[in-house]
Amino acid sequence: MSPLTSIQSRLDSVRQSLPGGVGLVAVSKFHPVDALRQARAAGQRLFGESRVQELAAKVAELGTDDYCWHFIGHLQTNKVRQLLRLRPALIESVDSVRLLEEIDREAARQGIVQNVLMQLHVAREETKFGFSPDELLDWFARRGFENLQAVHVCGVMGMASNTDDQARVEADFRAIRAAYDEILAMCPDLRGFSTVSMGMSDDYPLAVSCGSTLVRVGSAIFGPREY
Ligand SMILES: *Cc1c(COP(=O)(O)O)cnc(C)c1O
């Protein structure tokens, strides 16, 4: 099988397994632009990258008209300006109020409105970034979003624990969805707060069954990454 056929067929099988209304981010980090072009030729337009430097290189080659970019990695405040200049459609990984405020300041400076998701931390691993459900609920209860000038909060993103224990993974996804539902119930006036981004190559079918609206799938489309 040529590489084209395999990216195309893997994309097709991921797509076929997603119910209508669930979006697909093809996570292309560590893969060459050629792989992205193949996915694009197979109809994929939305790509996810986790490092600003790498996103910049890919945007320089592929642009932002025919390709749509989500930033999904941990973002340092000193990279915000450079990232926003790349005009990502969505920053999925806002993991602190400080980062959110920096994005707001910089988006206002650049005269744009930046769409973001708030990243929830529910997994067991200590190393994962994000708000605890309580912290995030508290921020919404205090209506922190009303202070934003140039950021639109479109929903939440999260990851399940990295484990084979399916019950644990399911509990994590349910906790992410529950936090989202509570926020919406608490702030019914939130506009366009409609995205629950969860599910990766190994667990996206379970994430979808727990209420994901956007899955981020890398290796199941592009094969293993070479770091
Ligand atoms: C790398 C990454 C993914 C995709 O992981 P796969 O296991 O290759 O599907 C999804 N989300 C985030 C935040 C990532 O960093």
Side-chain angles (χ1 to χ4, degrees), residues 101-102 132 168 224:
E101 288 171 351
E102 182 61 26
S132 72
R168 173 72 210 193

Short mmCIF file of all heavy atoms in Angstrom, two decimals, residues 101-102 132 168 224:
data_model
loop_
_atom_site.label_atom_id
_atom_site.label_comp_id
_atom_site.label_asym_id
_atom_site.label_seq_id
_atom_site.Cartn_x
_atom_site.Cartn_y
_atom_site.Cartn_z
N GLU A 101 -5.45 35.38 30.09
CA GLU A 101 -5.36 36.84 30.10
C GLU A 101 -4.31 37.34 29.11
O GLU A 101 -4.50 38.37 28.46
CB GLU A 101 -5.05 37.33 31.52
CG GLU A 101 -6.26 37.16 32.43
CD GLU A 101 -5.98 37.43 33.91
OE1 GLU A 101 -4.79 37.58 34.29
OE2 GLU A 101 -6.95 37.46 34.68
N GLU A 102 -3.24 36.59 28.97
CA GLU A 102 -2.21 36.98 28.00
C GLU A 102 -2.76 36.85 26.57
O GLU A 102 -2.50 37.72 25.72
CB GLU A 102 -0.97 36.09 28.20
CG GLU A 102 0.19 36.42 27.28
CD GLU A 102 0.72 37.85 27.45
OE1 GLU A 102 0.57 38.41 28.56
OE2 GLU A 102 1.29 38.38 26.47
N SER A 132 -8.68 21.96 37.34
CA SER A 132 -9.53 20.92 37.90
C SER A 132 -10.97 21.33 37.61
O SER A 132 -11.26 22.53 37.41
CB SER A 132 -9.31 20.81 39.41
OG SER A 132 -9.87 21.93 40.06
N ARG A 168 -11.65 3.44 34.15
CA ARG A 168 -11.03 4.70 34.56
C ARG A 168 -11.11 5.74 33.43
O ARG A 168 -11.44 6.91 33.65
CB ARG A 168 -9.57 4.43 34.94
CG ARG A 168 -8.75 5.64 35.24
CD ARG A 168 -9.14 6.28 36.56
NE ARG A 168 -8.91 7.72 36.51
CZ ARG A 168 -8.90 8.52 37.57
NH1 ARG A 168 -9.15 8.03 38.77
NH2 ARG A 168 -8.68 9.80 37.43
N PRO A 224 2.71 5.89 13.59
CA PRO A 224 3.49 6.30 14.76
C PRO A 224 4.33 7.54 14.47
O PRO A 224 4.77 7.75 13.34
CB PRO A 224 4.38 5.09 15.06
CG PRO A 224 4.34 4.24 13.84
CD PRO A 224 3.09 4.58 13.08
#
